Amino acid sequence: MKKLLSIGLALTMVLSLVACSGTPTKTETQAQAETQAEAVAETTKATAKKVGVCIYKFDDAFMTTYRNALQSMLEEMGYQVSVMDGNNDQSKQNEQIDTFITQGVDALIINPVMTSSADVLISKVKAANIPTVLINREPTVEQMAEYNKLVYVGCDARQSGTMQGELILDTPNKGDINGDGIVKYVMIEGDPENVDAQYRTEFSVKALTDAGMKVEMLDDQQGMWDREKGQTIAANALAKFGDEIEVIFCNNDDMAIGALQSINSAGRKVNENIYLVGVDALDAAINEVLAGNMTGTVLNDAKGQASGAVKAMEDLLGGKTYQSGSQSIYVNYVKVTPENAKNYQ
């Protein structure tokens, strides 16, 4: 009995000592770990490279997809990322670039508002010696040659225009719905400052003429990539030319979706008595292709381009330079038809 009492007393003393000792409780341990994690995170944040991203305007449907993919990739890789909206104003974007330079960013990714003004932004980044990737809007070879830490990542717009023409050539009558031997079309262009608009306009029609088709342009208007403007241009053209219109080419999907609304209002039916094509393969456009309300579109691979832009940026940060004539990295377009559209949803 005395032995049991002694053991009990000893256990009580041990438990008392443990309770009174400085051994942290579980809550205190967690708090210390969290504090240490926060310190590490702050240190990592302080040493992470800073990337400034300039987008020509946030409310462009395609560039929204591109911007989100780009920002997500960069942040997952540990970069500090700041993204600015140029509001389609080149002078404002120039100021944003100046701000990033003042902040000491390690690299810049720029979607120029106006490629005709690329000389100005290139001179800015060159003077600051900041590795720079231009995206989506391609300057001239001569402009880019001014700085060897500059590269363009995007798609060759000539290819997208050619594919639009091929989508029409792939129809049963090659776009000549009334069988008179002439494909009569309306062109709805994007921003005339943008080389993508210029090439898509030129090469979509060139694909038809190269295939031996005769063409007649009924109307050619600038929709500035905007859905409502695309709708208005199409409505006016349909009212003026009526059943003469066999094809409506749109430089992007947003304008094509606007044009579709006017086509429906005019009592026309896509793929029966009129054809309609766009570029970008936006989700809304893919749905219309699958529903038979668009003849087709062309995938402008936002995620592929974002990935390419990040890789090019890391190459530049690693010391890579580019020589004149080799400063453009292209990602291929893809024709999207009712047969393969589900693959791109």
Side-chain angles (χ1 to χ4, degrees):
M1 186 68 176
K2 288 183 179 181
K3 187 174 182 181
L4 288 174
L5 287 173
S6 297
I7 292 172
L9 181 60
L11 287 171
T12 301
M13 291 176 65
V14 169
L15 291 172
S16 178
L17 286 171
V18 169
C20 295
S21 71
T23 302
T25 64
K26 182 179 180 180
T27 302
E28 290 171 339
T29 302
Q30 289 177 331
Q32 289 174 1
E34 289 172 1
T35 300
Q36 290 173 351
E38 288 172 1
V40 170
E42 287 300 317
T43 301
T44 302
K45 184 177 179 180
T47 58
K49 290 188 180 297
K50 301 175 183 177
V51 179
V53 179
C54 295
I55 301 298
Y56 96 99
K57 68 172 184 175
F58 277 10
D59 61 358
D60 179 291
F62 172 73
M63 286 312 300
T64 296
T65 301
Y66 195 136
R67 166 170 53 92
N68 291 339
L70 182 64
Q71 185 169 0
S72 177
M73 289 177 192
L74 288 168
E75 289 177 347
E76 285 177 7
M77 295 171 73
Y79 289 100
Q80 287 191 59
V81 185
S82 180
V83 187
M84 292 192 179
D85 181 2
N87 292 123
N88 206 25
D89 182 336
Q90 187 60 62
S91 60
K92 180 174 182 178
Q93 187 176 77
N94 290 343
E95 292 173 0
Q96 293 170 345
I97 293 169
D98 288 336
T99 298
F100 279 137
I101 290 172
T102 301
Q103 291 173 348
V105 295
D106 297 284
L108 283 166
I109 297 177
I110 303 173
N111 168 214
V113 173
M114 298 171 62
T115 52
S116 60
S117 299
D119 307 79
V120 176
L121 68 88
I122 291 172
S123 66
K124 288 178 181 291
V125 298
K126 179 180 179 181
N129 195 35
I130 297 178
T132 301
V133 179
L134 301 180
I135 60 172
N136 187 247
R137 297 181 169 193
E138 185 177 11
T140 65
V141 171
E142 292 75 20
Q143 287 173 317
M144 292 192 290
E146 293 298 316
Y147 185 36
N148 65 0
K149 293 183 182 179
L150 177 82
V151 65
Y152 168 77
V153 176
C155 295
D156 184 348
R158 287 165 288 207
Q159 185 186 45
S160 62
T162 298
M163 288 182 173
Q164 282 191 304
E166 290 173 350
L167 287 167
I168 300 303
L169 291 170
D170 289 340
T171 63
N173 45 35
K174 298 184 178 181
D176 181 17
I177 292 173
N178 62 17
D180 67 354
I182 303 172
V183 178
K184 296 181 181 179
Y185 71 91
V186 168
M187 182 69 68
I188 304 180
E189 298 188 35
D191 182 352
E193 283 280 349
N194 190 331
V195 70
D196 284 12
Q198 298 165 20
Y199 282 150
R200 289 172 188 172
T201 298
E202 176 185 356
F203 282 81
S204 57
V205 178
K206 186 176 184 296
L208 297 181
T209 57
D210 284 352
M213 301 298 293
K214 292 182 179 180
V215 300
E216 181 182 339
M217 182 187 70
L218 298 176
D219 199 11
D220 186 341
Q221 300 290 332
Q222 295 166 5
M224 302 300 290
W225 312 119
D226 184 78
R227 183 176 299 192
E228 290 185 5
K229 290 180 180 177
Q231 181 179 2
T232 299
I233 292 169
N236 291 339
L238 287 162
K240 183 176 181 179
F241 299 103
D243 292 344
E244 286 188 76
I245 302 173
E246 295 172 295
V247 178
I248 297 183
F249 288 105
C250 296
N251 283 174
N252 79 340
D253 281 344
D254 246 9
M255 296 189 296
I257 292 168
L260 175 60
Q261 294 171 0
S262 294
I263 289 171
N264 291 336
S265 296
R268 303 286 292 275
K269 176 62 179 174
V270 173
N271 295 330
E272 290 184 12
N273 51 38
I274 194 169
Y275 295 118
L276 174 66
V277 291
V279 176
D280 283 340
L282 299 178
D283 286 343
I286 290 175
N287 290 337
E288 299 296 358
V289 171
L290 287 169
N293 297 323
M294 280 181 64
T295 306
T297 183
V298 180
L299 173 66
N300 194 3
D301 188 357
K303 292 181 180 178
Q305 290 178 66
S307 178
V310 172
K311 182 182 184 305
M313 182 200 75
E314 293 206 299
D315 287 344
L316 288 168
L317 287 170
K320 185 173 182 176
T321 58
Y322 291 83
Q323 300 303 311
S324 176
S326 63
Q327 290 174 279
S328 292
I329 299 171
Y330 293 125
V331 177
N332 282 327
Y333 286 100
V334 179
K335 281 189 287 186
V336 179
T337 66
E339 291 72 31
N340 69 358
K342 284 187 177 180
N343 298 332
Y344 302 104
Q345 281 184 309

